[in-house]
Amino acid sequence: MDGHLLSITDLTRADVEEVLDVTDSMVEVSSRAIPKVPALRGRTVVSLFYEDSTRTRLSFDTAAKRLSADTMSFAVSSSSVNKGESVRDTIETIEAMGIDAVVVRHRSSGVPAQIAAWTDATVINAGDGWHQHPTQALLDSYTIRSHRGSLDGLHIGIVGDIKHSRVARSDIEAFTRLGAHVTLVAPPTLLPASTAPWDVQVSHDLDAVLGSLDVCYLLRMQRERMTEALVPTLREYTACYGLSAERADRLPDGALIMHPGPMNRGVEIASEVADRPDAVITEQVANGVAVRMAVLFLLLGPGRAALPPLADALADATADPADVTASGPDDDVSGGGSDAGTPTPSTSGAST
Ligand code: CP
């Protein structure tokens, strides 16, 4: 993997596996008493989130700090975006301060790709519209691989609001690259107009597929993105597609229950199901830090091909106490701004 990380569609199976392999090393680093290495010392990573986030934003920030990069965070709510500053002018302003990478989330599909055309910095897509959320797919793949050894031959059901979901679009690409069989489970109104580009099955009947799933991946009902009534009522949606305790009990032994967060407890997932041991939702969050460390390392560091320097780069930083205690100048660079270009598939935003 080199250049930018804009979409899983830009990655081969080998690229995805490389990220997951490097993530193993980052999990080890994260388990140390002092989880910090000097791998990206001197590099600066800026987070540019035009849309709300808890997991992605905090985990990228944590990942960069664990690799000793300096970090800058962009708070839209207190930025010059509120004075009408465009995305392009915002990027040029931040770039003038000296940055190596931009982690960007935006409500419009295609903004990260547009930014990549405007800057010499590495661009990492942290979610754009309905389009892609590649690091979510990488952390989901890592979580499944850590439990099952491989995704080859697994049956993964992705359940819910496929239509508005960048997580679904990213996971489909990652899971099928890694050899899984994917079934999309949703009412017709929550599916895209066509699923033909994907190597997936489609079902409108969750009860019919539950018994064959190795992974039941639930999507958030993105009510804020629905401009029309796509389900009769939330109660009816939950009755047909929600993972109740009774449905969860019908999953095969060893099946994983996953959700990207934030959850609508009581809608797509019963609250007691979210807290079961076979629900690995907080594990997904924890793995998100290590996966994002791997992505930053591969894009900004010496890279996997540079082994054994990888081992050197991940050597314990405690030899130099300054490396352990320095946390970088968490400058707050405000921003927001107008939309940029709009490739596939929509200009509408979508959280997670
Ligand atoms: N899964 C995810 O992207 O969560 P956040 O919106 O909290 O970043």
Side-chain angles (χ1 to χ4, degrees):
M1 188 170 70
D2 55 18
H4 311 286
L5 177 58
L6 302 175
S7 170
I8 295 292
T9 58
D10 297 333
L11 305 182
T12 63
R13 176 175 180 147
D15 292 330
V16 174
E17 289 179 334
E18 178 183 51
V19 175
L20 305 190
D21 290 345
V22 173
T23 299
D24 283 332
S25 299
M26 300 305 174
V27 167
E28 187 279 316
V29 168
S30 297
S31 72
R32 296 178 190 170
I34 300 174
K36 187 153 185 160
V37 292
L40 296 186
R41 189 165 49 189
R43 301 289 200 153
T44 300
V45 178
V46 59
S47 296
L48 193 60
F49 278 60
Y50 289 83
E51 205 184 46
D52 294 344
S53 170
T54 298
R55 295 150 198 79
T56 312
R57 181 173 177 152
L58 290 177
S59 61
F60 263 115
D61 190 60
T62 303
K65 288 186 166 112
R66 286 186 182 173
L67 296 173
S68 299
D70 292 335
T71 58
M72 290 197 291
S73 174
F74 176 93
V76 170
S77 59
S78 56
S79 75
S80 289
V81 167
N82 295 330
K83 303 174 191 171
E85 190 162 42
S86 69
V87 172
R88 184 167 192 164
D89 285 344
T90 301
I91 284 294
E92 289 179 357
T93 299
I94 293 170
E95 191 169 26
M97 299 177 194
I99 57 169
D100 296 287
V102 184
V103 179
V104 60
R105 171 172 286 190
H106 200 284
R107 64 182 295 278
S108 294
S109 302
V111 168
Q114 182 62 73
I115 289 174
W118 288 333
T119 178
D120 293 330
T122 293
V123 178
I124 300 172
N125 182 0
D128 62 329
W130 303 0
H131 179 221
Q132 279 278 311
H133 190 352
T135 56
Q136 180 71 46
L138 293 168
L139 74 89
D140 290 336
S141 299
Y142 185 81
T143 301
I144 297 169
R145 194 178 84 160
S146 69
H147 280 269
R148 304 296 294 259
S150 164
L151 275 69
D152 268 316
L154 296 186
H155 185 198
I156 302 177
I158 301 178
V159 185
D161 183 6
I162 314 287
K163 182 186 176 88
H164 300 98
S165 178
R166 58 192 176 213
V167 172
R169 287 177 175 79
S170 307
D171 276 349
I172 290 165
E173 299 289 353
F175 295 166
T176 54
R177 270 168 179 66
L178 295 173
H181 305 293
V182 173
T183 299
L184 307 181
V185 187
T189 51
L190 292 181
L191 286 164
S194 172
T195 59
W198 297 322
D199 182 15
V200 297
Q201 304 293 311
V202 174
S203 172
H204 307 308
D205 185 351
L206 177 59
D207 291 307
V209 302
L210 268 181
S212 65
L213 293 181
D214 296 292
V215 177
C216 184
Y217 195 105
L218 302 157
L219 296 170
R220 187 169 72 88
M221 278 292 278
Q222 301 191 47
R223 287 173 282 180
E224 74 277 19
R225 306 300 179 200
M226 296 181 186
T227 55
E228 54 193 310
L230 297 176
V231 292
T233 64
L234 275 184
R235 183 188 295 266
E236 188 165 331
Y237 174 82
T238 302
C240 294
Y241 295 99
L243 191 66
S244 61
E246 186 274 326
R247 283 195 172 117
D249 286 341
R250 285 193 274 129
L251 288 166
D253 287 346
L256 303 175
I257 297 166
M258 301 179 69
H259 192 298
M263 292 181 278
N264 294 306
R265 287 177 182 254
V267 179
E268 66 266 4
I269 185 167
S271 192
E272 64 265 40
V273 172
D275 298 328
R276 287 163 58 128
D278 48 352
V280 293
I281 297 160
T282 52
E283 210 175 300
Q284 290 170 258
V285 175
N287 288 335
V289 176
V291 161
R292 287 166 179 133
M293 289 170 74
V295 167
L296 289 170
F297 180 78
L298 286 165
L299 290 173
L300 299 178
R304 182 70 166 172
L307 278 170
L310 170 66
D312 293 345
L314 299 186
D316 197 323
T318 53
D320 180 353
D323 290 332
V324 177
T325 53
S327 60
D330 290 310
D331 301 333
D332 188 69
V333 181
S334 297
S338 60
D339 294 342
T342 306
T344 58
S346 166
T347 58
S348 297
S351 305
T352 61

